[in-house]
Amino acid sequence: EAGVTQSPTHLIKTRGQQATLRCSPISGHTSVYWYQQALGLGLQFLLWYDEGEERNRGNFPPRFSGRQFPNYSSELNVNALELEDSALYLCASSTRTGYEQYFGPGTRLTVT
Amino acid sequence: DQQVKQNSPSLSVQEGRISILNCDYTNSMFDYFLWYKKYPAEGPTFLISISSIKDKNEDGRFTVFLNKSAKHLSLHIVPSQPGDSAVYFCAASLYNNNDMRFGAGTRLTVKP
């Protein structure tokens, strides 16, 4: 069974640009979660999508947004990039009622 | 708003001995707790979980203990092996909320 996949592995952008990160969940999972892990910090919850709808979002500004497609894959968009957005962005998936979330390998975003 | 705390950023133990990783939480509404393990350049992998109706859950070398009155949980690894060296994250979730809060992680080093 294929796990959660994320692309790209690394992304380098300059301040003010936009970044788009992609995630494909495990087959059969309808929920997708996005987390930010800044250097030395834990995982900070960003967004939760299920059945194409945004169900919850963490304490992040509106320039962090995303969407979930009919095939349950998801996209995270970060607009007007700031230096402090440099972090590892992790995507996870689960069934709608499952507590266990399964993570992808992450996308390392570097903003210069 | 750090609702889940792992106060020890690092822990070093000898191979064959017990590793005890600790986690505290502040929100008494959390009803499901999980431990994840993370190797460098990989996403976190689910390790073990416990529901708030239990006080202990065991899976092979891994045991999680929950003390609801103290809002404290711990992960015991016995015996510890060098391959257990990783960062361990504690996480807590609300029933049907899918809003999981993570601690900052504890880096475990098991010395041969």
Side-chain angles (χ1 to χ4, degrees), chain A residues 42, chain B residues 2-10 21-25 34-36 73 87-91 101-107:
Chain B
Q2 196 73 12
Q3 297 188 46
V4 179
K5 297 180 182 179
Q6 294 177 258
N7 292 320
S8 298
S10 64
L21 295 93
N22 294 302
C23 177
D24 296 295
Y25 60 96
L34 307 91
W35 284 95
Y36 283 82
L73 67 157
V87 176
Y88 289 78
F89 291 98
C90 166
R101 303 300 171 112
F102 284 82
T106 297
R107 181 176 300 279

Side-chain angles (χ1 to χ4, degrees), chain A residues 92-106:
Chain A
S93 74
S94 77
T95 60
R96 176 60 178 88
T97 56
Y99 280 102
E100 290 88 11
Q101 297 180 12
Y102 297 84
F103 284 82

Side-chain angles (χ1 to χ4, degrees), chain A residues 31 33 35 37 40-45 48 56 88 90 94-106, chain B residues 2 31-32 34 36 38 41-46 49 89 93-105:
Chain A
S31 282
Y33 312 82
Y35 293 88
Q37 186 185 16
L41 298 178
L43 281 70
Q44 303 297 315
F45 169 72
W48 168 33
N56 198 8
L88 179 68
L90 291 159
S94 77
T95 60
R96 176 60 178 88
T97 56
Y99 280 102
E100 290 88 11
Q101 297 180 12
Y102 297 84
F103 284 82
Chain B
Q2 196 73 12
D31 70 334
Y32 202 80
L34 307 91
Y36 283 82
K38 186 180 186 299
E42 295 182 13
T45 55
F46 169 71
S49 62
F89 291 98
S93 184
L94 295 166
Y95 177 72
N96 268 346
N97 187 304
N98 294 68
D99 180 355
M100 194 174 298
R101 303 300 171 112
F102 284 82

